[in-house]
Amino acid sequence: MKQNNGDFFRSVRFGGFRKEDVMRYIEQQETKLHAQAQRLDEQELSLRTQRRLRFEAQRQFRLARRRDSAALEVRGELRELRQLLEEARGLAGELEQENMHLRRRIRLLEQPQREEQEGLPFDQLTFRLFLEDWDEDDESEFGYLSMKE
């Protein structure tokens, strides 16, 4: 008997092989071939799964990169909008102060007009006060004027 890779064949100078030995060898080779085909199928499935996962990871990476880019763009626009808002708030504050100042000026300007409208004009008011203070019996320098006459 000669051993070849774990297979035993009868070797003789004349004749052939035993049928059982040949059948066993063929079955062993078929089993090895089947096991090898299964390993290849498993490796192919594993490679396909890895490739699919890699493509999915690349797609996710591209999406994340786009999101990051969009987020940076939005942050920049938000920063600009905040700056515009602060400028608008500053301008609104200035306008409010100016508005308050103008309202005070209007009130101050309207007050003398109200007094004039409510009473007599200033020149008539002083003459009236002069007349009210007039004492007819007073013999002072204006005493010679008489209103009764």
Side-chain angles (χ1 to χ4, degrees), residues 39-95:
R39 282 194 307 272
L40 286 175
D41 288 343
E42 289 171 1
Q43 286 177 350
E44 184 179 355
L45 180 64
S46 173
L47 288 174
R48 284 182 186 169
T49 304
Q50 289 174 2
R51 184 180 297 149
R52 191 175 327 117
L53 291 173
R54 188 181 66 213
F55 286 144
E56 181 64 23
Q58 288 175 346
R59 188 180 72 81
Q60 292 294 330
F61 178 74
R62 278 188 241 117
L63 286 174
R65 200 169 54 193
R66 285 184 200 145
R67 279 193 302 260
D68 290 345
S69 174
L72 286 174
E73 186 177 330
V74 167
R75 282 186 198 128
E77 290 176 6
L78 181 61
R79 200 174 304 120
E80 290 174 14
L81 287 174
R82 284 182 178 160
Q83 184 179 3
L84 287 173
L85 178 63
E86 289 302 317
E87 290 173 7
R89 284 181 179 163
L91 182 60
E94 290 174 13
L95 290 174

Side-chain angles (χ1 to χ4, degrees), residues 103-120:
R103 286 180 188 207
R104 277 190 226 120
R105 286 191 63 195
I106 289 172
R107 275 189 234 119
L108 290 174
L109 292 173
E110 286 178 345
Q111 279 179 341
Q113 291 175 358
R114 286 184 194 151
E115 289 175 2
E116 288 178 10
Q117 291 171 357
E118 292 172 1
L120 296 172

Side-chain angles (χ1 to χ4, degrees), residues 2-3 8 16 29-30 49 55-56 66-67 81 89 91 96 99-100 108 114-115 120 134 139 142 145 147:
K2 183 177 182 186
Q3 184 179 8
F8 295 97
Q29 293 301 318
E30 283 179 358
T49 304
F55 286 144
E56 181 64 23
R66 285 184 200 145
R67 279 193 302 260
L81 287 174
R89 284 181 179 163
L91 182 60
E96 184 64 30
N99 188 15
M100 288 172 47
L108 290 174
R114 286 184 194 151
E115 289 175 2
L120 296 172
W134 182 268
E139 303 250 341
F142 296 109
L145 294 174
M147 297 299 283

Side-chain angles (χ1 to χ4, degrees), residues 6-53:
D7 299 325
F8 295 97
F9 290 105
R10 211 184 267 188
S11 58
V12 285
R13 291 182 190 240
F14 61 92
F17 300 103
R18 277 175 88 198
K19 183 177 179 182
E20 294 88 27
D21 291 339
V22 171
M23 292 304 289
R24 195 174 332 126
Y25 177 76
I26 292 173
E27 288 174 5
Q28 287 175 352
Q29 293 301 318
E30 283 179 358
T31 305
K32 286 180 184 179
L33 182 64
H34 182 68
Q36 191 176 19
Q38 281 182 339
R39 282 194 307 272
L40 286 175
D41 288 343
E42 289 171 1
Q43 286 177 350
E44 184 179 355
L45 180 64
S46 173
L47 288 174
R48 284 182 186 169
T49 304
Q50 289 174 2
R51 184 180 297 149
R52 191 175 327 117
L53 291 173

